Structure formats: structure tokens, C-alpha cells
Amino acid sequence: NSLPQLEKVNISEDGTKLKMETQNPKKLINTRRLRVGVIGMPNVGKSTLVNAMINKQVMATSTRIDTTVKNSLGILTDGEVQIEFEDSPGIFNKSKSKRFHGKIKGKDFPSSCFAESDLCMVVVDLSMKRTTNGFLDPEVLVELIKHRHIPSILVINKIDKVKNRSKIYPLIPQLTGGFVNGVDCRPQSNKVPAKPIELPPVKAEFLYRNEEKMLRQMRSCRGWPYFKDVFVISALRGWETDRLRNYLNREAKNGNWNYPCDSVTTESSYDIIRDIVRSALLDNLPYEIPYHTEVVISEWRKKDNGLLDLQFDLVCQKYAHARLMNQNMTTILYSAKTRIETLLNCETELVLVPYLK
């Protein structure tokens, strides 16, 4: 039951990029590449899955929703194949987003995630009631309809949270509308015709103008009958992730790589470390405090002995928030420092200073 060991990365000389150690990389001729857009509802484990796929902890994760606030790219280079994973925030619609901090977050990011993708990876959470009832979320179905020209696969995540795993596989015919890659996957004893999804015109203006109407219609639909394949995994534990990675390797097409072989992400190390600090706040502070706190870097210095000296200002909106941070600072510091050192493979001196805005 131990967690998989993630590879460590090094920080570039100027401190702005993360990279893998490579020794005299060979010049490859027949290179292949694949860009994968990762979408799903909030807190289904998209960032954890991307980390598992590239085997590096570059995407910030926490137990709270809205940890990922913008699209981020993780890069896996394996032999002649380079796979780009575009992680996206959880999908919100207007009515749901009003419940979270009064802001609409992540509404446009999933659509932009599809822009350059060769394959869409839809992630669902087995611990969520709608999934265990055999329904995809209507927001996910609407995104799939809007981008139906892009092949998609279904990733059923968090099997480690399910005690009775015999109930998992009967869900697949429901979540896929009874078809996977055009093949009927329904049990012989249950060949009742599934309610078909009515595909509206492909015109973009029609889709976006009628999105709320489409959401209402999708609530009665169970699954998407156009998935190319289905994978049942635990991204956190690393269960069955190799099978998914091998599938993506086979799906890669001939083409030049977009990034050097030692690249692990396009995000700057500043942004990655800031997101790690923010995720530590999310895991260790109650209520809405982390969502109303701005994390600002005030010092970033790599000493001659290799020690990375970091200081972040935590800009709070209320005095009570700053006081609660100080009370929990030991736990927050330990959580953030451990994650940073695990990622960067170097000792750090981390200082977090709460400020009142």
C-alpha cells in the first residue's frame, strides 16, 4: 500500500526552470509525439494523474477543490516518444461556481485545453456519488459534445477508495453508454437500448449560446458512447498507470518534439513552488481562508552550498486569517517544505510571512 516513488528533478542555474538530469542524450530520428488534454470535475485527481504519468510531482495537489487554477503542461519523454499532458482546472458552470468563493473559475480552461490536443482524457472519481450511480457529469458531456472531433478515453480514478471492487466494472457500460471504441460492452443479459445522446449542430455559436439548455438535457444521459478505451486506476497509488502510459505511447504519431528531452514542464519554478505553498495552505487551513490569500514570492536565492533560500508573503484580507495562519504555521511549513525538497532534490530554507492587506 506504499505510495509510488516519484523521480526528482533539478533546478536550472538561473532558478527559473525544472529539468531532468540527462547524460549525452542521443539524437533521435524517428520521433513521435502526443498531446493529451486532461479534463474532469473538481477534485477527481487530474493533477495527481498527470504527476503519476510523468513520474514527477510538478503539479500541485491538495484535498480541496480549486487547487489547479489554470492550465499547466507536464512533459514525459520516453525513448522516441514525447507526451504532453495539459492539466486543467475542474469544470464549473455558472450555477455551481456561485457556491465557491463568488467567482467563476475554470469555465473557459477546459475548452482551451482542447485547442491543440490530439486526445482527450476524461477523469472521473469513483468516490463520487454520481459516478457510482453510473452517470457522467453533464458539464463533462457538454465539453465532449463541443469537441467531439477529438478522440477521447475514460479514466476511472481512485479505485483505492472502493472496498467492493466487484461493483466497479458493471459501471463501465453505464459510463460509456454501452459502447467502447464502437464495440458493445453491455452484458448479454442487459441488451436494453441505451438512451442515445442527441448531438446538436457542430456550429460553435450554437453550442455556446445553448450551453445551459444542453446541460439540462445531459442530466438524464448516463455516459458517452464514443470513448476509444477505458482505464480503471489509482493515480495516487500508481495502480494500473503503466497500462495507461503504454497505451498513450502507442497512440503517439510521427512528428518533431516541441520541447527538449530534459523538460518536465513549461511552468516556471517560481509558479510551481508558489502553487505548492498554496496547496499546503489548502490542506492545513479551514474554511475559505486559503482561497482569499495571495501567495507572493519575496526572496528566491540559491546559495553557494546548494541551499535554496525561499521567502513568501501570505497576503491576507482579515486579521483573523493571519492569526490563524500563525497558529498553524509549523504544520504549513512542514507540509510545503517537504513537497518542495521532494521535487527539487535539494535542501531549502523556507520562510512564510502572513501580511494583512
Side-chain angles (χ1 to χ4, degrees):
N1 292 329
S2 61
L3 299 181
Q5 294 296 314
L6 299 177
E7 295 179 18
K8 297 179 179 179
V9 298
N10 289 331
I11 198 166
S12 60
E13 291 299 324
D14 60 359
T16 60
K17 293 291 181 183
L18 301 182
K19 61 180 182 178
M20 290 295 297
E21 280 190 356
T22 54
Q23 295 180 348
N24 300 323
K26 297 179 181 179
K27 188 174 182 180
L28 302 174
I29 300 175
N30 300 319
T31 56
R32 296 184 294 134
R33 61 174 294 274
L34 182 73
R35 189 174 181 108
V36 181
V38 185
I39 70 164
M41 299 303 288
N43 220 28
V44 296
K46 298 182 295 297
S47 299
T48 304
L49 176 58
V50 172
N51 287 337
M53 287 292 98
I54 66 177
N55 207 27
K56 301 162 194 72
Q57 194 79 33
V58 296
M59 304 296 172
T61 60
S62 81
T63 56
R64 305 275 293 275
I65 68 165
D66 211 17
T67 305
T68 302
V69 294
K70 62 183 178 65
N71 288 3
S72 303
L73 201 67
I75 303 164
L76 170 67
T77 303
D78 183 10
E80 298 178 342
V81 178
Q82 185 171 91
I83 304 175
E84 306 158 18
F85 296 91
E86 187 165 2
D87 187 21
S88 64
I91 303 173
F92 282 99
N93 61 36
K94 289 183 179 180
S95 59
K96 282 190 176 181
S97 62
K98 289 178 182 177
R99 297 185 228 162
F100 299 101
H101 336 305
K103 298 179 181 179
I104 299 175
K105 291 191 175 182
K107 179 174 171 55
D108 297 324
F109 289 118
S111 292
S112 63
C113 180
F114 283 100
E116 300 179 8
S117 295
D118 304 307
L119 180 72
C120 171
M121 186 188 296
V122 178
V123 185
V124 297
D125 180 357
L126 264 178
S127 64
M128 289 186 173
K129 186 176 181 180
R130 187 170 177 86
T131 304
T132 56
N133 287 337
F135 285 85
L136 288 178
D137 286 278
E139 293 84 359
V140 171
L141 287 170
V142 168
E143 290 298 328
L144 287 169
I145 290 173
K146 289 194 294 187
H147 304 92
R148 71 187 77 162
H149 60 286
I150 299 176
S152 58
I153 61 174
L154 177 65
V155 177
I156 303 174
N157 192 23
K158 302 188 183 181
I159 59 172
D160 53 306
K161 292 190 174 183
V162 179
K163 293 181 179 179
N164 187 358
R165 292 179 191 163
S166 63
K167 295 182 179 180
I168 297 176
Y169 291 94
L171 291 174
I172 294 178
Q174 300 177 50
L175 296 173
T176 61
F179 292 88
V180 177
N181 201 23
V183 178
D184 193 337
C185 65
R186 291 172 294 172
Q188 292 295 325
S189 59
N190 185 24
K191 291 294 185 180
V192 179
K195 181 181 178 181
I197 292 181
E198 297 180 6
L199 297 178
V202 188
K203 294 181 180 179
E205 62 271 15
F206 176 88
L207 294 174
Y208 287 96
R209 188 174 64 248
N210 295 274
E211 185 167 335
E212 291 299 324
K213 180 180 178 181
M214 290 168 59
L215 280 171
R216 290 193 296 271
Q217 293 174 343
M218 290 302 106
R219 294 191 189 283
S220 60
C221 296
R222 281 189 175 272
W224 180 250
Y226 306 107
F227 287 121
K228 290 186 64 178
D229 212 332
V230 179
F231 299 86
V232 182
I233 70 164
S234 169
L236 181 64
R237 300 290 176 183
W239 297 346
E240 296 296 322
T241 53
D242 285 342
R243 177 173 168 262
L244 175 56
R245 193 182 295 109
N246 292 337
Y247 172 85
L248 297 175
N249 276 336
R250 294 193 300 270
E251 288 294 305
K253 307 299 181 185
N254 292 333
N256 296 326
W257 293 349
N258 290 329
Y259 304 97
C261 61
D262 61 351
S263 298
V264 293
T265 180
T266 55
E267 297 295 304
S268 72
S269 53
Y270 302 130
D271 290 337
I272 293 172
I273 303 303
R274 184 191 61 211
D275 288 344
I276 289 176
V277 172
R278 183 173 175 272
S279 68
L281 297 178
L282 285 166
D283 278 339
N284 295 285
L285 289 174
Y287 315 118
E288 307 302 311
I289 297 174
Y291 300 106
H292 295 292
T293 301
E294 185 181 1
V295 181
V296 180
I297 184 169
S298 58
E299 185 174 349
W300 179 292
R301 184 164 54 95
K302 196 171 185 180
K303 297 181 178 179
D304 295 335
N305 60 0
L307 186 71
L308 189 61
D309 194 5
L310 303 172
Q311 179 171 321
F312 288 87
D313 295 337
L314 308 178
V315 184
C316 309
Q317 294 186 357
K318 297 180 180 179
Y319 173 75
H321 293 180
R323 183 178 60 187
L324 198 56
M325 280 184 195
N326 281 319
Q327 292 174 356
N328 293 274
M329 188 54 68
T330 302
T331 308
I332 295 170
L333 273 172
Y334 176 79
S335 176
K337 191 172 186 292
T338 303
R339 298 180 198 187
I340 293 170
E341 291 182 348
T342 300
L343 172 65
L344 298 182
N345 194 23
C346 71
E347 292 187 15
T348 60
E349 188 173 311
L350 179 64
V351 178
L352 302 178
V353 183
Y355 276 97
L356 191 60
K357 189 172 182 180

